[in-house]
Amino acid sequence: ALERIGHARLIEANQDGTRLLLEGLPVEGLRDWDQGRAKTVHFVDWEHPENNTFTAVSQLMVDCPGGMSKGSIRPDITLFVNGVPVVVVECKSPNLSEPLADAIDQLRRYHNARHEAGEVEESEGAERLFHTNQFLVATSYDEARVGTIGAGGAHYLEWKDTAPVPLAEVQAELGKPALSSQNKLVAGMLRPAHLLDLIRHFTIYQQVNGRTVKVVSRYQQFRAVHYTIAGLRTGKTRKQGAETDGRGGIIWHTQGSGKSL
C-alpha cells in the first residue's frame, strides 16, 4: 500500500502516506487468525516506541524517475521507522559561507520543490522517498533548522529546546557542557518517543492562500502541551494542601509562534 501511493502532486501523496502511517491498513482476515475476522495492520506501534525499529542510513541512493539519464539523489541521512522513511537530513560544513541555505536548497531539489516553485524547468528529485516524509532537517552543527515538504527557506526554523526532557539531562547524556543547535534538534525532535509523538499529535495539513501545506509543531507548542498535560496529571489542588491549584497556569507566547494551533 505504501509503495502504491499515486498522486500527481507530492503533497497529496504525502497526505495519503501519513494517513496510512497513522491509521493503519484494513485487510481481509485469515482463516486461522482470530476466526477469519478482518484486521487493521499498523505500520507503527505508537503507544510503545521501544517496539519499533529506528534506523539511520547514510548516503541512501534513490534513482530519479526517468532512468539513468535523470541520475539519483543521495541525502546525507535518511531516518526510518520500521523501514518507512520519515525524516531526511542534509548536513553542511559550518565553514561554508551559507551552509543552511545550501542544505535547504538541496532538500528542496530532492523532492522537486524548486521545480514546483518555478525555480527550475525540469523535475530533478525522487519524490517517492518523500511520500511518507514527516519533516526535513538542514544542519551545519552550529545551526540546525527543520521544515516540511514544499517549505521555502524562511519557514525552516530552529528547535531550541529538548523539553519535556530537561536540557541538563541531555547534556549529561551526551557528556557535553553545552549543546549545539544540532544537539538540541536531535534530542528534542528525533528522540524516538518525541519523533512518534510529533508525527501522531503535532502535525497537520492546512490551506494557505489556496494551497495545501504541511505544518509540524514548533518547540514552544510541543513544550507547552507537554507541560500542560504534566500539570493536569500531577499538579496538587487546594484540597491537597497547595496554596494555588497546580493544575492551572499561564502559557505566554510571542506573536506568530503558533498560539492558535
Side-chain angles (χ1 to χ4, degrees):
L2 289 171
E3 290 178 345
R4 291 172 183 165
I5 296 171
H7 285 282
R9 298 180 64 240
L10 175 57
I11 190 68
E12 294 168 354
N14 189 269
Q15 281 183 282
D16 269 6
T18 300
R19 178 183 53 78
L20 280 169
L21 290 183
L22 294 176
E23 299 176 7
L25 181 71
V27 296
E28 294 181 5
L30 299 175
R31 186 177 56 189
D32 52 357
W33 180 25
D34 195 23
Q35 300 179 335
R37 294 185 180 91
K39 293 284 186 180
T40 298
V41 174
H42 292 279
F43 300 97
V44 179
D45 187 339
W46 299 104
E47 299 292 342
H48 305 95
E50 68 277 6
N51 289 343
N52 301 287
T53 300
F54 297 84
T55 310
V57 178
S58 175
Q59 300 293 322
L60 176 76
M61 186 175 76
V62 182
D63 291 333
C64 298
M68 295 294 290
S69 63
K70 292 293 184 179
S72 60
I73 63 170
R74 288 177 182 260
D76 285 329
I77 305 170
T78 306
L79 305 183
F80 295 80
V81 178
N82 302 333
V84 180
V86 293
V87 179
V88 170
V89 183
E90 192 64 25
C91 310
K92 295 295 181 185
S93 167
N95 296 323
L96 296 174
S97 59
E98 295 186 81
L100 266 293
D102 290 350
I104 292 169
D105 186 66
Q106 206 153 341
L107 289 168
R108 285 169 53 76
R109 176 173 68 83
Y110 289 157
H111 67 281
N112 281 332
R114 302 196 308 177
H115 172 59
E116 186 175 313
E119 297 167 20
V120 297
E121 292 185 5
E122 295 185 352
S123 298
E124 53 188 355
E127 292 186 15
R128 65 191 181 96
L129 177 64
F130 299 88
H131 286 179
T132 52
N133 181 270
Q134 300 306 308
F135 50 85
L136 307 160
V137 176
T139 180
S140 65
Y141 188 76
D142 294 333
E143 188 176 5
R145 295 182 184 174
V146 61
T148 56
I149 57 171
H155 293 104
Y156 277 73
L157 300 170
E158 276 194 279
W159 193 275
K160 297 182 180 180
D161 199 1
T162 59
V165 180
L167 284 163
E169 187 174 320
V170 175
Q171 287 174 258
E173 286 176 344
L174 298 178
K176 290 178 176 288
L179 299 177
S180 70
S181 178
Q182 177 176 284
N183 293 149
K184 292 175 186 176
L185 187 147
V186 171
M189 298 191 79
L190 303 181
R191 183 182 295 271
H194 292 194
L195 173 61
L196 297 190
D197 195 15
L198 281 164
I199 296 171
R200 191 182 188 193
H201 298 127
F202 292 87
T203 302
I204 63 168
Y205 295 86
Q206 284 185 311
Q207 290 295 313
V208 178
N209 297 325
R211 61 188 287 263
T212 304
V213 298
K214 186 170 190 172
V215 180
V216 66
S217 165
R218 296 182 68 182
Y219 72 93
Q220 300 100 316
Q221 297 159 310
F222 189 71
R223 178 175 63 191
V225 169
H226 275 275
Y227 285 175
T228 299
I229 292 171
L232 289 169
R233 285 177 168 168
T234 64
K236 289 186 177 181
T237 65
R238 286 196 174 99
K239 287 184 178 180
Q240 294 172 313
E243 187 175 334
T244 58
D245 194 327
R247 296 170 300 174
I250 295 172
I251 297 170
W252 183 87
H253 279 344
T254 55
Q255 184 175 354
S257 62
K259 296 185 295 294
S260 300
L261 287 174

